[in-house]
Amino acid sequence: MQQDSLSTHATTVVGDSGHASVSAQLHELTPREVLSWLPKNATPAQQDSAIQHHIKPSPIHWSEQPDTLHMPGHTKGKSLRDVSLPQYYRESFFSKDSLFHPELSGGRYGVAGDPVPYSIAGDNLITMLLLGCFVLAMISFSRSMPFIIRQAKNFFYVPRGNTSTFNETSGELWVQMFMILQTCLLFSLIYFFYTRTYIADTFTIEHYQMIGIFTAVIAGYFLLKAVAYWIIGWVFFDGKKIGQWMKVYLFLISIEGVLLFPVVMLLAYFNLSMQNAIIYVAIVVFLGKLLSFYKTYIIFFRRNGIFLQNFLYFCALEVIPLASLWGVLVIINSFLKVNF
């Protein structure tokens, strides 16, 4: 019933009002005009039906007038879609400007600030690594404390025979291996601090790769020293003395790592002066070499009483490898640093 009244009302309005039909012929009706003929309570469906009945799509007639948007005295412009145009005609100074191409990124406005310099304190990976080393070291100490105390007590003990005073278990050997790896990592971090302070701050590779290379080189240094000790001991001494010395050698490396951990933490998180850190590391290394000199004399040369051979043995297997390690690290830095 509502539809019939709508049609009657629309026909009546259009039929009774001659002005309306004339105006419809003079110009295209707008949706507002059509909706004004409907009652106020017309539903959206009725409004849509009325608009579709009175408003019909008409064909588009493009302008055929000539293009006047060009300089006087010049011919009209050509479309950029014309493939026959030369490259210099289609490209201009503003052709790649982001303001004329919304699909291109406009970049950053203003002046970029100075980047925050790299620091170990702000490096999450190194922080987690140091924290993990601390936790694992505490667990290792708690489980291997009798072994460590026994080694410390027997370090200055002068053996009467050629037998070792104690034997390690497999768990204690794994603890020593972990402590040696930690020593290599701590030495590499200290040298990394030294490199950034005195040599260069930018490198051709990332900081993690630099630290990894330093750690691998230092680990290779300790491994080659162990192999050299074993070969020379096998040539000039017996196997029991070699076993005694290798236990002492592993123990000294582990103790160096324990002593280096505080200085690494101070360098990373408390801005310790690099000069003071170098003095501390030099003292630790000197004490380690002094104790190794003492133990080589006690184990290998005490019975013969030959001090000069012990000195030559120490220089060949301690001083020269240490100097070679420093030279290798310097060469690595010279290859990896960025030279401006």
Side-chain angles (χ1 to χ4, degrees):
M1 301 300 292
Q2 183 71 21
Q3 182 68 25
D4 295 337
S5 62
L6 173 60
S7 301
T8 306
H9 176 74
T11 304
T12 304
V13 171
V14 176
D16 295 341
S17 177
H19 300 286
S21 62
V22 173
S23 62
Q25 296 177 0
L26 295 178
H27 69 281
E28 292 186 4
L29 294 175
T30 62
R32 181 178 180 277
E33 293 176 346
V34 175
L35 294 177
S36 65
W37 301 338
L38 301 177
K40 294 183 179 180
N41 59 350
T43 62
Q46 293 171 345
Q47 296 176 358
D48 183 67
S49 178
I51 291 176
Q52 291 184 8
H53 178 72
H54 291 284
I55 299 178
K56 302 295 182 180
S58 59
I60 300 175
H61 300 282
W62 300 102
S63 175
E64 297 180 357
Q65 299 295 326
D67 184 14
T68 58
L69 297 178
H70 57 269
M71 297 296 293
H74 294 270
T75 59
K76 64 178 182 178
K78 297 181 181 180
S79 176
L80 295 178
R81 298 179 180 179
D82 188 0
V83 295
S84 63
L85 290 178
Q87 187 73 12
Y88 66 86
Y89 191 93
R90 286 186 282 121
E91 290 187 358
S92 63
F93 180 79
F94 300 100
S95 60
K96 295 183 180 181
D97 195 330
S98 60
L99 298 178
F100 290 90
H101 296 276
E103 71 277 5
L104 299 178
S105 176
R108 179 185 299 172
Y109 293 99
V111 180
D114 295 333
V116 178
Y118 174 81
S119 65
I120 295 292
D123 195 319
N124 295 330
L125 180 60
I126 301 299
T127 301
M128 293 300 296
L129 190 61
L130 291 176
L131 183 61
C133 289
F134 176 77
V135 173
L136 292 177
M138 293 298 101
I139 295 175
S140 301
F141 280 139
S142 64
R143 295 185 176 182
S144 304
M145 187 59 67
F147 166 72
I148 297 174
I149 294 175
R150 187 169 67 250
Q151 276 191 324
K153 286 182 179 180
N154 291 319
F155 187 82
F156 295 98
Y157 171 74
V158 180
R160 296 182 180 274
N162 293 334
T163 59
S164 178
T165 56
F166 57 91
N167 295 319
E168 298 90 343
T169 63
S170 60
E172 291 169 348
L173 287 176
W174 280 111
V175 169
Q176 278 196 330
M177 292 298 104
F178 164 74
M179 298 300 296
I180 291 173
L181 290 177
Q182 179 178 343
T183 303
C184 298
L185 176 62
L186 295 177
F187 267 119
S188 66
L189 287 174
I190 292 173
Y191 188 74
F192 177 72
F193 279 113
Y194 171 82
T195 300
R196 296 184 68 248
T197 303
Y198 294 107
I199 298 179
D201 195 19
T202 55
F203 303 93
T204 58
I205 59 177
E206 296 182 355
H207 299 96
Y208 304 132
Q209 297 175 346
M210 289 285 297
I211 296 174
I213 291 174
F214 293 156
T215 304
V217 170
I218 295 173
Y221 158 76
F222 287 125
L223 180 60
L224 290 177
K225 272 183 56 178
V227 173
Y229 271 119
W230 184 83
I231 293 175
I232 295 178
W234 179 74
V235 173
F236 295 101
F237 308 103
D238 55 28
K240 295 180 179 180
K241 291 183 178 181
I242 297 174
Q244 292 178 8
W245 167 246
M246 293 307 298
K247 294 176 182 179
V248 172
Y249 177 70
L250 297 178
F251 179 72
L252 287 176
I253 298 176
S254 303
I255 294 302
E256 285 182 353
V258 174
L259 296 177
L260 290 176
F261 192 81
V263 72
V264 172
M265 299 297 289
L266 292 175
L267 283 171
Y269 303 104
F270 297 96
N271 295 325
L272 178 66
S273 173
M274 195 63 214
Q275 295 180 352
N276 297 331
I278 292 174
I279 295 174
Y280 179 85
V281 174
I283 293 174
V284 171
V285 174
F286 176 76
L287 290 178
K289 300 303 179 185
L290 186 63
L291 292 176
S292 65
F293 180 80
Y294 166 76
K295 291 301 293 185
T296 52
Y297 176 77
I298 294 298
I299 294 175
F300 297 116
F301 302 101
R302 179 177 60 88
R303 290 182 177 272
N304 299 327
I306 303 175
F307 181 80
L308 179 61
Q309 289 184 357
N310 183 33
F311 181 77
L312 296 176
Y313 184 82
F314 173 79
C315 292
L317 296 179
E318 290 292 339
V319 177
I320 294 179
L322 183 62
S324 302
L325 172 64
W326 182 262
V328 170
L329 293 175
V330 171
I331 292 174
I332 291 174
N333 276 334
S334 65
F335 277 107
L336 296 180
K337 70 178 181 179
V338 177
N339 299 314
F340 295 100

